[in-house]
Tab-separated table of all heavy atoms in Angstrom:
chain	number	residue	atom	x	y	z
E	990	GLY	N	-5.372	-6.367	-6.409
E	990	GLY	CA	-4.556	-5.492	-7.356
E	990	GLY	C	-3.067	-5.851	-7.253
E	990	GLY	O	-2.737	-7.057	-6.902
E	991	ILE	N	-2.249	-4.855	-7.490
E	991	ILE	CA	-0.772	-5.083	-7.422
E	991	ILE	C	-0.364	-5.611	-6.135
E	991	ILE	O	0.574	-6.522	-6.040
E	991	ILE	CB	-0.060	-3.689	-7.675
E	991	ILE	CG1	-0.285	-3.313	-9.147
E	991	ILE	CG2	1.391	-3.768	-7.379
E	991	ILE	CD1	0.259	-1.950	-9.567
E	992	MET	N	-0.981	-5.104	-4.982
E	992	MET	CA	-0.531	-5.687	-3.640
E	992	MET	C	-1.408	-6.794	-3.167
E	992	MET	O	-0.972	-7.805	-2.756
E	992	MET	CB	-0.785	-4.478	-2.728
E	992	MET	CG	0.249	-3.335	-2.846
E	992	MET	SD	1.909	-3.698	-2.756
E	992	MET	CE	2.064	-3.786	-0.952
E	1011	ASP	N	-12.636	-9.348	-6.758
E	1011	ASP	CA	-12.188	-8.076	-7.256
E	1011	ASP	C	-13.117	-7.748	-8.400
E	1011	ASP	O	-13.726	-8.586	-8.988
E	1011	ASP	CB	-10.717	-8.188	-7.887
E	1011	ASP	CG	-10.067	-6.801	-8.166
E	1011	ASP	OD1	-10.601	-6.139	-9.049
E	1011	ASP	OD2	-9.115	-6.446	-7.372
E	1012	VAL	N	-13.347	-6.410	-8.696
E	1012	VAL	CA	-14.209	-6.020	-9.812
E	1012	VAL	C	-13.690	-6.484	-11.113
E	1012	VAL	O	-14.282	-6.663	-12.085
E	1012	VAL	CB	-14.510	-4.420	-9.818
E	1012	VAL	CG1	-15.477	-4.029	-8.867
E	1012	VAL	CG2	-13.194	-3.744	-9.722
E	1043	MET	N	-8.073	-4.769	0.478
E	1043	MET	CA	-6.859	-4.141	-0.076
E	1043	MET	C	-7.307	-3.343	-1.272
E	1043	MET	O	-7.122	-3.694	-2.373
E	1043	MET	CB	-5.791	-5.202	-0.446
E	1043	MET	CG	-4.404	-4.638	-0.664
E	1043	MET	SD	-3.927	-3.476	0.703
E	1043	MET	CE	-2.257	-3.246	0.402
E	1044	LEU	N	-7.895	-2.169	-1.070
E	1044	LEU	CA	-8.536	-1.334	-2.007
E	1044	LEU	C	-7.799	-0.032	-2.212
E	1044	LEU	O	-7.018	0.377	-1.316
E	1044	LEU	CB	-9.970	-1.075	-1.598
E	1044	LEU	CG	-10.786	-2.348	-1.460
E	1044	LEU	CD1	-12.039	-2.281	-0.620
E	1044	LEU	CD2	-11.254	-2.849	-2.950
E	1045	PRO	N	-8.117	0.739	-3.238
E	1045	PRO	CA	-7.357	1.897	-3.558
E	1045	PRO	C	-7.426	3.038	-2.468
E	1045	PRO	O	-6.337	3.507	-2.057
E	1045	PRO	CB	-7.848	2.345	-4.967
E	1045	PRO	CG	-8.476	1.198	-5.432
E	1045	PRO	CD	-8.900	0.293	-4.421
E	1053	VAL	N	-17.297	-0.926	-0.246
E	1053	VAL	CA	-17.118	-2.375	-0.084
E	1053	VAL	C	-17.514	-2.808	1.351
E	1053	VAL	O	-18.174	-3.857	1.606
E	1053	VAL	CB	-15.714	-2.831	-0.364
E	1053	VAL	CG1	-15.424	-4.193	0.025
E	1053	VAL	CG2	-15.460	-2.656	-1.902
E	1075	THR	N	-4.489	1.845	2.154
E	1075	THR	CA	-4.090	3.148	2.791
E	1075	THR	C	-5.186	4.136	2.573
E	1075	THR	O	-5.450	4.527	1.395
E	1075	THR	CB	-2.793	3.647	2.150
E	1075	THR	OG1	-1.835	2.610	2.185
E	1075	THR	CG2	-2.339	4.950	2.689
E	1100	VAL	N	0.190	-1.087	4.841
E	1100	VAL	CA	1.483	-1.776	4.697
E	1100	VAL	C	2.445	-0.885	4.019
E	1100	VAL	O	2.133	0.031	3.333
E	1100	VAL	CB	1.312	-3.110	3.796
E	1100	VAL	CG1	0.234	-3.929	4.458
E	1100	VAL	CG2	1.007	-2.850	2.426
E	1103	GLY	N	6.000	-2.275	-0.745
E	1103	GLY	CA	5.752	-2.296	-2.192
E	1103	GLY	C	5.465	-3.634	-2.626
E	1103	GLY	O	5.306	-4.564	-1.971
E	1210	GLY	N	4.833	-1.353	-9.798
E	1210	GLY	CA	5.108	-0.506	-8.612
E	1210	GLY	C	3.909	0.190	-7.938
E	1210	GLY	O	2.876	-0.321	-7.840
E	1211	PHE	N	4.271	1.374	-7.503
E	1211	PHE	CA	3.270	2.161	-6.818
E	1211	PHE	C	3.066	3.424	-7.635
E	1211	PHE	O	3.882	4.170	-7.886
E	1211	PHE	CB	3.918	2.522	-5.367
E	1211	PHE	CG	2.945	3.204	-4.524
E	1211	PHE	CD1	1.865	2.592	-4.003
E	1211	PHE	CD2	3.135	4.664	-4.214
E	1211	PHE	CE1	0.899	3.245	-3.173
E	1211	PHE	CE2	2.185	5.292	-3.420
E	1211	PHE	CZ	1.165	4.642	-2.882
E	1212	ARG	N	1.750	3.485	-8.022
E	1212	ARG	CA	1.407	4.591	-8.958
E	1212	ARG	C	1.388	5.923	-8.338
E	1212	ARG	O	1.050	6.079	-7.198
E	1212	ARG	CB	-0.045	4.227	-9.542
E	1212	ARG	CG	-0.059	3.114	-10.448
E	1212	ARG	CD	-1.414	2.822	-11.077
E	1212	ARG	NE	-2.404	2.274	-10.053
E	1212	ARG	CZ	-3.483	2.827	-9.607
E	1212	ARG	NH1	-3.826	4.071	-10.211
E	1212	ARG	NH2	-4.214	2.297	-8.800
E	1218	LYS	N	-2.839	10.582	-3.590
E	1218	LYS	CA	-3.863	10.382	-2.555
E	1218	LYS	C	-3.231	10.401	-1.138
E	1218	LYS	O	-3.663	11.057	-0.217
E	1218	LYS	CB	-4.556	9.058	-2.785
E	1218	LYS	CG	-5.330	8.492	-1.627
E	1218	LYS	CD	-5.438	7.055	-1.402
E	1218	LYS	CE	-4.160	6.251	-1.740
E	1218	LYS	NZ	-4.060	4.970	-0.908
B	2783	NAD	P1	-4.407	-1.421	-7.269
B	2783	NAD	O1	-5.181	-0.380	-7.940
B	2783	NAD	O2	-3.474	-2.280	-8.110
B	2783	NAD	O3	-5.498	-2.530	-6.582
B	2783	NAD	C1	-6.672	-2.195	-6.096
B	2783	NAD	C2	-7.654	-3.333	-6.440
B	2783	NAD	O4	-8.892	-3.030	-5.985
B	2783	NAD	C3	-7.826	-3.351	-8.018
B	2783	NAD	O5	-7.636	-4.683	-8.576
B	2783	NAD	C4	-9.280	-2.909	-8.257
B	2783	NAD	O6	-9.880	-3.655	-9.401
B	2783	NAD	C5	-9.963	-3.444	-6.880
B	2783	NAD	N1	-11.168	-2.697	-6.601
B	2783	NAD	C6	-11.388	-1.381	-6.700
B	2783	NAD	N2	-12.673	-1.071	-6.259
B	2783	NAD	C7	-13.209	-2.264	-5.945
B	2783	NAD	C8	-14.501	-2.675	-5.459
B	2783	NAD	N3	-15.450	-1.734	-5.202
B	2783	NAD	N4	-14.640	-3.984	-5.239
B	2783	NAD	C9	-13.774	-4.887	-5.394
B	2783	NAD	N5	-12.534	-4.574	-5.918
B	2783	NAD	C10	-12.257	-3.332	-6.186
B	2783	NAD	O7	-3.744	-0.866	-5.987
B	2783	NAD	P2	-2.541	-1.450	-5.083
B	2783	NAD	O8	-1.229	-0.889	-5.696
B	2783	NAD	O9	-2.684	-2.898	-4.962
B	2783	NAD	O10	-2.875	-0.617	-3.750
B	2783	NAD	C11	-3.869	-1.088	-2.881
B	2783	NAD	C12	-3.767	-0.312	-1.620
B	2783	NAD	O11	-2.535	-0.537	-1.004
B	2783	NAD	C13	-3.857	1.339	-1.804
B	2783	NAD	O12	-4.445	1.930	-0.804
B	2783	NAD	C14	-2.326	1.681	-1.944
B	2783	NAD	O13	-2.177	3.124	-1.468
B	2783	NAD	C15	-1.730	0.681	-0.861
B	2783	NAD	N6	-0.326	0.379	-0.998
B	2783	NAD	C16	0.104	0.116	-2.277
B	2783	NAD	C17	1.568	-0.171	-2.414
B	2783	NAD	C18	2.166	-0.430	-3.788
B	2783	NAD	O14	3.486	-0.507	-3.916
B	2783	NAD	N7	1.435	-0.731	-4.838
B	2783	NAD	C19	2.383	-0.232	-1.236
B	2783	NAD	C20	1.766	-0.059	-0.082
B	2783	NAD	C21	0.486	0.291	0.010
Side-chain angles (χ1 to χ4, degrees):
I991 289 176
M992 297 295 284
D1011 193 291
V1012 284
M1043 192 51 167
L1044 296 158
V1053 166
T1075 303
V1100 309
F1211 187 68
R1212 291 182 286 119
K1218 167 212 41 151

